Every structure is written in structure tokens, then in C-alpha cells.
Amino acid sequence: MTTRNPMKDQVAIVGLGSTGFTRDGDRSPLAMALAAATEAIRDAGLTAADIDGVVATSEPGADGPEVIAAALGITEATHHTKPTPVAMFSLLDAARAVFTGAADHVLVVTPVVMGPWNSRRAADDPWRRGTRSSILPIPEDAGKAAAYAAWASRYIHEYGASKDPFARIAINSRTNAAHNPLAAIATPLSFGAYDAARMIRDPLNIYDMDLPVDGADAFVLTTAERARALPHHPVLIHAATSGIVGKNDEDQLVGLHRTGQHVVVEQLRRHSDLWIDDIDLFYPYEGFTIITLAWFENCGFCPPGGAESFLREHWNDDAQRIEIDGRIPVNTHGGSLSEGATRGTGHVREAVHQLRGTAGPRQVEGAQAALVTPGGFFFNPQGAVLRRA
Amino acid sequence: MPENREDDQQLIDRFGGHGINRDNAAHFRGRLERRLLMSRCGDCGRWQHPSRPMCPDCWSWNMTPEEVSGRGTIHLLMELHQGPPAEGVDYRDGHPVVTVELEEQPALRFTSTVTADFPDDDLEIGAPVELEWIDRDGTPMPVFRTRSA
Ligand SMILES: [Zn+2]
């Protein structure tokens, strides 16, 4: 548990690209990765010749960094890795490569691909049938995605919570998606529609979980110093980490009072000069709504079990969205409940857009700092404090 | 014990959907005899699930499969309204999946379903349960039934 953070403010995110996300994709994973990558490199004011690091998330069905490098016409690279999915694993890897001098301009590509394991539509697509998981699913499994419904039941039991705070997370995302052209689903959601929704894994319904989509995000990272010469105002990685507890098998986790989220928050607080009173934007992951309630509580906005009253008190009823202290909006792009299962890349992309002032109709004026917390409870909690240079 | 490839292949074929491997094979062999086996450390006595080759508490490799009582309380509970097809599973009214905290050790848990005649009123977190065996696709499967506390 180190307090050292020599990387503080030394690495900048300077390029963004995204295909947007869809439930009706007809492009290959490589085509999506390349579309996002070329956009991000151009956005950074660079060319393929400048890129000397390629980080390609090891998403099932997606291509490795060697394929991306060849397809983009990158000359040579001295850093090439394929980290586990969920946004910060790849971004942390790229940032550390820049900071250590392994590479100067690192491209991160994070495609997501609907597969026959998570989508009936994808199972009917002959181009996707080859990508198949070797483990056959069984109903009696509290691992993987189902774990979030199982622990949501425990949360409701321990705190006597209602579904109201879950509904507010889902509605907030859909409200904010209205002005995000990248979103797969941007229709507003009402409390009535939420309450009437089809149960998938009771206590979670169809609006409590993100849906599989096709699409890709891409980022370019370089040193804070080089960033000053590039077209956009640099956004610096002030602090960033991932975190797990040792006993993290989904159904063996001791309890929600001690998960990887707590490890992430404690590490960020040791490494960051800025915390929740200093930020202008909050991007808690909401691939499952229960995850978001936990991020609110674990980041210290409210005590354990306090999300229900906190969200009610910080709800803008006219706008139908969360505004912390009337000031800090949450998931301004509509999150994963609107863009789909992007594994938090959208949360990072949107934070960077906001901090450099390129968020268009969603722009929060004067935003200087953002807290981004992708990941869930078990093997992928992570977080970052990003700030405008 | 020498490896018996034919035997191993049969076990793998029967439990292919469960992520069976060398480290948890004894647990699945136990199921065929309707015994719920979990890995226990011969040195510090701690139980471990899922089975792994070394004790995380004392780094002993002296791990042996032992039978648990199967008594415990429901710790996590969900009702699936969709999911993979399986014999005897009807998602229309919600298929219950319970994670039971076993009485052997805090946070030692096993996930399964409950018997078909489990009273709806008893299906809640904290409810006391005990083990029962049913058959699915001709293979024994550990599930839970209600018990008086
Ligand atoms: Zn031991």
C-alpha cells in the first residue's frame, strides 16, 4: 500500500476516437478497432509513424496488438501488450509505458464484440459462431454477471434498501444519453417503466444491466510535456489504480463491506491531491446498478447503505438526473446503461472530452477534475482522478 | 494414485459445463457418490472452495477432499427469469439460485438451487437449509431443502 506516486500528472491523454456503439453491428472487430484508432491518432495530431506503443485489450473475438500494428501501418513499436478487459487495465498499462520511457506515443484500442455467449442475435450470425466459450453455462452459477444480482439481494437484505436508488442510477444514465450520439440506446426512462420492467435475474431487471454491443474506443497517451505541443488541451492522469481483495471468487467474497472498490479508493486517496470535494464530474461504472450504489458509498459520498437517501437528496427532479450538491453531474454521456457493455471505456472518454472542453452539447463549463471508477466488486475494480492541465 | 485417462475423460464429459480441472476433480467425483466434498487443509484445518492445490492460509500442500455437512443458511439469493436450458429448470416463474453459507466455516459457501417443493415463503436470505440430492441429466446434483433452525 504505497504512498509513492511519481507518475502524478506526468502522462496525458491526448487523442480520443470512438465508433459509437450498436446492437446491430455488421463490422468485424478489426474494422471497429481501426476506425476508432485512426480517429484517435488524427485527434491527437499524430500519424501512424509517431505511434511506438500499441495496447489492445484482450476482449474475446478481438485482435492482438500485433494485428492492430500491422493493419494500421505502424512502423515499429517498443511496447505491445493485451491487458484484461475493463478500461483502466489498458490505460494504466499505456500510462506506465509512457512514464517509464518504454514508448513515447501509446495507442490504446478497446473494442467490444457481441458474441454467441452473450447475445442470441450474435449466435445467429455466421461470422461470430466460431468464437465460442469452452465452458457451457449452467443455471446455478453465482459467478460472472449473475454475481451482481446475487449481491444486490444481499445489499437489499442488509440495508433494507428499496429498488428506488437502482432506478435512479438507470434513469440518470438514460437522461444523460439524450445528447450522446455514440449511445446504443438514448431513449429516456421513467420510474414507472423501470418498475414495470422485465426481471432478468431478480432482484435485477433489464434496466439494471448493460447490454452487449459492438463498437470500439481508442485513446492516445503521451508525456505531459509532449502533450503541450498537440492540438487539444492536455488531460493529465493525476492518480490511477486497480485493486482487489485476495478472496475475490464471486460467491466467496466475505462481504460488500470489503471489496476491491475499497482497495481502489484507499490507494487513490493516498496518491491524489484531489478528492470528492475537489471534483467537477463523477463517472462511476454502472454495468450493473448495484455496482454504482457501492461506488457512491465507497468513495465517501455517503455511508454504507446510504445511497438510497443520498440519491434522493441529490436528484434534480426537473432534469431527471443526479446532480451532487446541485453541481456535480454523474455519467454525463449516459454510461454503460446507454452506450452498452463498453467496460468503462466510455466513462474515461467522456471525462477527457469534458476536461478538455470537447463534450459539445453535454459540456460542463469550467470542469477541471473528474473521478472515474470503472469495474465491479471482484476482479476488476479500478479508478482514476483525471485533471485538466 | 495413477491417472486413469478413460475414467478422467468420463468425469470431464459429465461435468464439462462446470469448469472441471485437475484441482477440483475430487469434488466432482464426490458428487457421483452423492457426497459434497470440499478441500480442507490437513495442517491448519481451514476449508477452501473452490478447490485449489495449496492452502492460502498456511501454504500447506496437504489439501484433502472432505465431506461437509451441507447445513447452512441462505446468504445470497436470486431468481433467474432467463438462462441456459437445463433439465427440470423452468424460468417462467423464476428459477431460484442460492448461495449457502455452510456451518463449517464463515464465508465458506456453495451455490446451487433448492428442491422443487421448497416453500416460497421460506425462500429468503437467512433461511436455514440442508443438503439434498436430485438427478439432472442422470447425474447427481446437490441442492438445498428447508430445515428447522
Ligand atoms: Zn492451511
Side-chain angles (χ1 to χ4, degrees):
Chain A
M1 306 303 161
T2 176
T3 55
R4 293 182 301 110
N5 184 16
M7 195 169 82
K8 183 193 292 178
D9 298 335
Q10 297 302 304
V11 178
I13 301 174
V14 295
L16 299 176
S18 181
T19 58
F21 297 89
T22 176
R23 307 263 299 140
D24 291 307
D26 59 0
R27 288 200 283 177
S28 73
L30 183 59
M32 296 189 292
L34 296 177
T38 50
E39 188 178 308
I41 296 167
R42 287 193 184 111
D43 180 64
L46 301 170
T47 68
D50 298 309
I51 301 297
D52 57 356
V54 180
V55 174
T57 304
S58 65
E59 187 71 23
D63 301 278
E66 68 289 351
V67 176
I68 304 287
L72 277 176
I74 284 170
T75 322
E76 290 175 358
T78 49
H79 183 79
H80 41 100
T81 56
K82 38 182 177 181
T84 313
V86 179
M88 288 310 301
F89 287 128
S90 289
L91 287 157
L92 269 170
D93 180 76
R96 288 165 181 166
V98 167
F99 181 66
T100 59
D104 284 332
H105 300 105
V106 180
L107 170 72
V108 175
V109 284
T110 58
V112 288
V113 186
M114 293 167 69
W117 58 86
N118 64 14
S119 156
R120 202 165 300 159
R121 208 179 310 204
D124 290 337
D125 178 352
W127 299 106
R128 300 179 198 247
R129 272 189 209 131
T131 52
R132 203 172 274 282
S133 167
S134 63
I135 295 182
L136 302 169
I138 57 165
E140 293 81 12
D141 184 358
K144 305 182 232 11
Y148 292 102
W151 282 102
S153 77
R154 189 75 201 174
Y155 178 90
I156 289 167
H157 171 81
E158 287 187 10
Y159 298 118
S162 75
K163 284 300 295 296
D164 181 73
F166 296 77
R168 290 182 200 270
I169 297 298
I171 293 167
N172 175 75
S173 285
R174 288 294 194 81
T175 297
N176 285 337
H179 299 291
N180 178 7
L182 304 179
I185 310 166
T187 47
L189 181 64
S190 68
F191 282 94
Y194 177 89
D195 288 340
R198 183 161 62 92
M199 278 293 175
I200 303 295
R201 303 181 193 101
D202 193 345
L204 299 186
N205 70 39
I206 187 85
Y207 296 125
D208 287 307
M209 51 193 70
D210 59 9
L211 299 171
V213 288
D214 272 356
D217 273 312
F219 304 84
V220 176
L221 282 72
T222 191
T223 62
E225 194 182 345
R226 286 172 189 273
R228 287 201 288 268
L230 297 179
H232 291 290
H233 195 102
V235 172
L236 304 177
I237 299 175
H238 181 69
T241 191
S242 60
I244 54 172
V245 294
K247 194 171 177 184
N248 58 60
D249 291 286
E250 288 93 334
D251 62 354
Q252 309 294 316
L253 185 76
V254 173
L256 293 180
H257 65 281
R258 192 69 195 168
T259 71
Q261 289 193 0
H262 297 83
V263 181
V264 165
V265 165
E266 288 161 21
Q267 178 81 330
L268 286 179
R269 297 200 68 174
R270 282 188 291 267
H271 281 193
S272 177
D273 301 334
L274 310 171
W275 194 238
I276 56 175
D277 291 332
D278 311 304
I279 60 164
D280 307 295
L281 304 152
F282 184 34
Y283 292 95
Y285 183 61
E286 22 71 282
F288 293 95
T289 47
I290 179 65
I291 294 172
T292 326
L293 303 185
W295 277 125
F296 269 95
E297 295 173 7
N298 295 333
C299 288
F301 287 103
C302 51
E308 179 157 3
S309 54
F310 183 85
L311 293 179
R312 203 178 296 130
E313 285 160 20
H314 296 265
W315 185 255
N316 181 330
D317 207 44
D318 295 330
Q320 288 290 293
R321 67 175 197 160
I322 305 161
E323 288 170 9
I324 303 168
D325 298 329
R327 186 178 74 83
I328 306 172
V330 175
N331 292 333
T332 49
H333 61 312
S336 289
L337 292 175
S338 307
E339 290 192 342
T342 67
R343 318 211 191 285
T345 59
H347 296 68
V348 180
R349 180 213 327 118
E350 174 74 358
V352 174
H353 270 307
Q354 291 283 354
L355 294 172
R356 71 188 201 181
T358 55
R362 304 180 309 282
Q363 186 64 47
V364 174
E365 287 310 316
Q368 298 291 314
L371 174 61
V372 188
T373 54
F377 294 151
F378 311 108
F379 52 90
N380 55 25
Q382 41 193 248
V385 176
L386 305 179
R387 57 175 283 260
R388 183 179 164 88
Chain B
M1 197 169 67
E3 292 193 0
N4 181 333
R5 281 175 186 265
E6 204 172 316
D7 217 46
D8 289 345
Q9 187 61 57
Q10 276 176 13
L11 193 70
I12 291 164
D13 291 344
R14 280 185 101 152
F15 293 106
H18 295 65
I20 188 171
N21 57 38
R22 285 181 198 272
D23 299 325
N24 61 24
H27 167 82
F28 289 101
R29 283 191 207 284
R31 289 194 189 194
L32 296 178
E33 300 168 0
R34 297 175 190 262
R35 298 169 69 214
L36 186 59
L37 303 183
M38 289 191 174
S39 193
R40 191 175 190 189
C41 176
D43 288 306
C44 75
R46 302 266 305 163
W47 298 86
Q48 186 189 34
H49 187 72
S51 301
R52 289 181 180 138
M54 191 187 82
C55 174
D57 295 307
C58 74
W59 284 13
S60 166
W61 292 77
N62 182 18
M63 302 298 284
T64 41
E66 281 188 37
E67 192 164 2
V68 292
S69 68
R71 278 189 302 277
T73 55
I74 295 177
H75 194 80
L76 308 176
L77 166 68
M78 60 185 155
E79 291 184 39
L80 306 183
H81 291 262
Q82 65 182 54
E87 187 192 55
V89 173
D90 186 347
Y91 292 108
R92 280 173 300 185
D93 296 325
H95 175 62
V97 173
V98 295
T99 297
V100 171
E101 181 137 329
L102 300 169
E103 64 181 17
E104 274 75 7
Q105 182 174 297
L108 179 72
R109 307 196 188 111
F110 187 76
T111 298
S112 185
T113 185
V114 297
T115 51
D117 56 357
F118 198 105
D120 273 356
D121 289 348
D122 290 359
L123 193 59
E124 59 181 19
I125 289 177
V129 294
E130 63 191 7
L131 194 64
E132 180 166 316
W133 291 87
I134 62 168
D135 284 312
R136 179 182 287 170
D137 298 325
T139 300
M141 175 177 169
V143 301
F144 292 95
R145 69 179 171 220
T146 188
R147 72 173 162 92
S148 43

